[in-house]
Amino acid sequence: MLYLIDEPMADIGLRTAAGDPDARVVLIQDGVFLSPDLDAEVYAVEKDVDVRGVDLPDEVERISYDALVDLIVEQEVKNFV
């Protein structure tokens, strides 16, 4: 399952993702300010990171909006935006 997470719904989104052994998390918009402690692949949309001037933790991979679209097409999505 792919989880799209932004700041306002981050708490519930991250708790939900933590309970999913197949979770993949994408931090979008102000969600890039988060530093989730999850046993899952975590991505951040690079344009959102650049606009906000955020330094990401090493375990968070930057992805483009095109890559995000590919992830969305590949799997089921839960939106916490």
Side-chain angles (χ1 to χ4, degrees):
M1 176 81 59
L2 184 67
Y3 295 86
L4 304 180
I5 306 217
D6 189 6
E7 180 61 36
M9 300 291 292
D11 189 44
I12 191 165
L14 293 173
R15 280 188 284 139
T16 304
D20 180 352
D22 298 320
R24 296 169 86 184
V25 173
V26 179
L27 306 175
I28 61 173
Q29 300 173 356
D30 285 344
V32 301
F33 289 115
L34 303 169
S35 296
D37 183 21
L38 297 173
D39 187 23
E41 294 178 46
V42 179
Y43 307 96
V45 176
E46 63 187 352
K47 187 171 183 178
D48 295 335
V49 171
D50 293 342
V51 165
R52 289 160 179 81
V54 176
D55 290 324
L56 294 174
D58 291 337
E59 62 272 6
V60 178
E61 181 181 338
R62 294 168 63 111
I63 61 170
S64 67
Y65 273 114
D66 289 339
L68 174 59
V69 170
D70 290 342
L71 288 173
I72 290 170
V73 169
E74 292 171 4
Q75 57 200 303
E76 188 175 350
V77 176
K78 284 195 179 181
N79 188 4
F80 294 92
V81 176

